[in-house]
Amino acid sequence: MLSASQFKLHRYLPFCTGCLSLLLSLVASPAIALELRIALLQGQGDVVIGSSTSANIVNGQGTTVGALPPLEGFFAKSTPGAVTFFGKKGWQLSIEPSEGGFVYIKDRWYRGQVRLITTAQGISVINEVDLEDYLAGVIGKEMPRTWPQEALKAQSVAARSFALYRKGKQKNPLYDLVNTTKDQVYGGIDGEAESTRAAVRATAGQVLTYQGNIVEALFHANSGGHTENSEQVFSGVIPYLRGVPDFDQEAPNFQWSVNFSQAQLQQKLSGLGNILAMTPQGTTAHGRVKSIKVVGEQGTKIMKGREFRRALKLKSTLFQVVPQSDLVASQAQAVPSKPSGFTINGRGHGHGLGMSQWGALALAQRGNTYQQILQHYYKNTVLQTSY
């Protein structure tokens, strides 16, 4: 019988143990000596860890203190000032699979190794993985893996450039990037397919540079017809993030609409009471809302477009507001009452900077190469084959 901290991993796999040979067939890209530290989880009280092959357990001093059997999961637990795992205890423990094995973290498989670090908030789980292997697990989460290779290649170069740029700017000593949209979504092997690995192999080592420096190659789902200049979204002019016509008319969120009742707005825009008006105060040349004035029965608030988007969970800042009003009789004339709610009609999905993924799809379908796609969305850049 298994202990409370142990269970057979194959019971929890999205594929059977016998399918590991298929997993192994997704051969890793040729090694490029650059490793990333990806924060998968932070502030955990406990987390399940395992390995597809036997694995060494290594402490913070680099000493092997134990061996983990294959295909069995064990709970790593947070204890005061330490991580406890498989009978071992330390401020830091690493699980290093043998023979090119994969590490199991919570509910997914990852290449590389995992480092468990104790913090005041709990356990931080860091995946240490080769850059090119990381990218194969990013592309399939950021872009449908069935899309044309030229679109996937463009995403590969953009994601590689973005990762290296952010790595250079990261101030947290424990990791280089996180695995969410705060950086870019990374799903480990769950994000991989032969198409994503092919795109990574075909563009191995390639990055976009501006004046010799790797660029922050921002990307988004689709722009709603035209991408934006950097200074209209964030502060500062970035020469390679210039607004260009997009080709995203077939995107599912090219146009969208959402309704809000007064009750919903009071929950999302607290402290203002019933909302009487929401009026954009400034827009970009392409219609994105830079600031908006929200007038309520209990006060008025000026919000940045991005702040308003976050509060209402809108797909973009490219929108217009339409009040929903009931008509009431007043002096024999029908006049509008205070709004019963508001409709927000918008276009696009994302911040609108850099490459539009649906635009990249359309350009690839029209026969454009990944180099041409990248040059369309990232102006004044050079495609460089080393970093």
Side-chain angles (χ1 to χ4, degrees), residues 360-373:
L361 169 64
L363 287 172
Q365 290 173 331
R366 296 179 185 188
N368 288 272
T369 65
Y370 76 95
Q371 296 97 326
Q372 292 171 323
I373 294 170

Side-chain angles (χ1 to χ4, degrees), residues 206-230:
Q206 294 183 10
V207 292
L208 291 169
T209 64
Y210 175 76
Q211 295 185 347
N213 297 314
I214 296 175
V215 307
E216 185 177 21
L218 297 173
F219 52 88
H220 58 283
N222 66 293
S223 71
H226 204 286
T227 69
E228 195 59 79
N229 291 334
S230 61

Side-chain angles (χ1 to χ4, degrees), residues 76-133:
K77 294 184 177 294
S78 177
T79 57
V83 176
T84 300
F85 178 69
F86 199 60
K88 312 304 175 184
K89 187 175 182 178
W91 70 271
Q92 173 181 291
L93 294 173
S94 295
I95 292 82
E96 303 177 356
S98 64
E99 303 171 354
F102 310 105
V103 63
Y104 182 85
I105 304 171
K106 192 175 181 179
D107 60 358
R108 290 183 179 176
W109 291 95
Y110 295 87
R111 296 182 188 272
Q113 62 187 46
V114 62
R115 190 181 300 271
L116 309 173
I117 304 173
T118 185
T119 69
Q121 292 73 40
I123 301 172
S124 286
V125 182
I126 312 299
N127 181 205
E128 298 180 342
V129 60
D130 179 84
L131 168 63
E132 303 297 291
D133 289 333

Side-chain angles (χ1 to χ4, degrees), residues 264-307:
Q264 290 172 321
L265 290 173
Q266 286 186 47
Q267 184 180 30
K268 296 174 183 296
L269 305 171
S270 61
L272 299 176
N274 284 321
I275 305 300
L276 303 178
M278 296 191 291
T279 309
Q281 299 295 286
T283 60
T284 69
H286 304 295
R288 285 180 175 79
V289 175
K290 298 174 71 174
S291 63
I292 187 168
K293 182 179 181 180
V294 183
V295 179
E297 290 180 333
Q298 298 175 11
T300 298
K301 185 176 184 180
I302 302 293
M303 303 177 69
K304 291 183 178 180
R306 287 181 291 149
E307 179 188 7

Side-chain angles (χ1 to χ4, degrees), residues 5-13 15-17 20 23-24 47-58 66-76 85-86 94-114 116 127 189:
S5 63
Q6 176 187 8
F7 56 85
K8 296 293 185 181
L9 281 182
H10 65 265
R11 292 176 54 202
Y12 293 84
L13 299 184
F15 43 79
C16 63
T17 304
L20 279 174
L23 189 61
L24 288 164
V47 61
V48 175
I49 305 291
S51 176
S52 64
T53 61
S54 61
N56 288 331
I57 302 173
V58 180
L68 192 69
L71 291 175
E72 293 187 23
F74 301 86
F75 280 96
F85 178 69
F86 199 60
S94 295
I95 292 82
E96 303 177 356
S98 64
E99 303 171 354
F102 310 105
V103 63
Y104 182 85
I105 304 171
K106 192 175 181 179
D107 60 358
R108 290 183 179 176
W109 291 95
Y110 295 87
R111 296 182 188 272
Q113 62 187 46
V114 62
L116 309 173
N127 181 205
I189 290 174

Side-chain angles (χ1 to χ4, degrees), residues 134-335:
Y134 162 77
L135 291 173
V138 166
I139 298 172
K141 289 297 184 180
E142 289 286 2
M143 179 176 280
R145 60 198 75 184
T146 56
W147 279 12
Q149 270 291 299
E150 295 307 302
L152 294 175
K153 290 177 189 176
Q155 181 68 69
S156 178
V157 175
R160 184 183 292 107
S161 304
F162 180 91
L164 292 174
Y165 178 93
R166 285 290 177 93
K167 173 181 168 67
K169 300 293 183 179
Q170 179 59 257
K171 296 180 180 179
N172 193 300
L174 300 184
Y175 57 82
D176 301 314
L177 300 103
V178 298
N179 64 335
T180 69
T181 54
K182 289 182 178 180
D183 285 319
Q184 45 194 6
V185 180
Y186 167 57
I189 290 174
D190 186 55
E192 294 185 21
E194 179 51 38
S195 61
T196 70
R197 297 207 67 85
V200 171
R201 288 194 299 268
T203 63
Q206 294 183 10
V207 292
L208 291 169
T209 64
Y210 175 76
Q211 295 185 347
N213 297 314
I214 296 175
V215 307
E216 185 177 21
L218 297 173
F219 52 88
H220 58 283
N222 66 293
S223 71
H226 204 286
T227 69
E228 195 59 79
N229 291 334
S230 61
E231 64 272 18
Q232 300 297 330
V233 179
F234 303 128
S235 60
V237 175
I238 301 176
Y240 52 83
L241 295 179
R242 302 290 86 198
V244 297
D246 202 2
F247 304 90
D248 61 337
Q249 290 75 17
E250 299 303 316
N253 291 314
F254 180 73
Q255 292 184 317
W256 50 266
S257 182
V258 60
N259 297 315
F260 292 97
S261 67
Q262 283 288 359
Q264 290 172 321
L265 290 173
Q266 286 186 47
Q267 184 180 30
K268 296 174 183 296
L269 305 171
S270 61
L272 299 176
N274 284 321
I275 305 300
L276 303 178
M278 296 191 291
T279 309
Q281 299 295 286
T283 60
T284 69
H286 304 295
R288 285 180 175 79
V289 175
K290 298 174 71 174
S291 63
I292 187 168
K293 182 179 181 180
V294 183
V295 179
E297 290 180 333
Q298 298 175 11
T300 298
K301 185 176 184 180
I302 302 293
M303 303 177 69
K304 291 183 178 180
R306 287 181 291 149
E307 179 188 7
F308 185 80
R309 178 194 172 193
R310 284 195 300 270
L312 270 59
K313 297 183 179 180
L314 304 177
K315 297 186 185 302
S316 74
T317 58
L318 183 56
F319 62 80
Q320 295 178 330
V321 180
V322 180
Q324 302 168 352
S325 295
D326 297 323
L327 295 179
V328 298
S330 176
Q331 297 179 352
Q333 289 185 330
V335 297

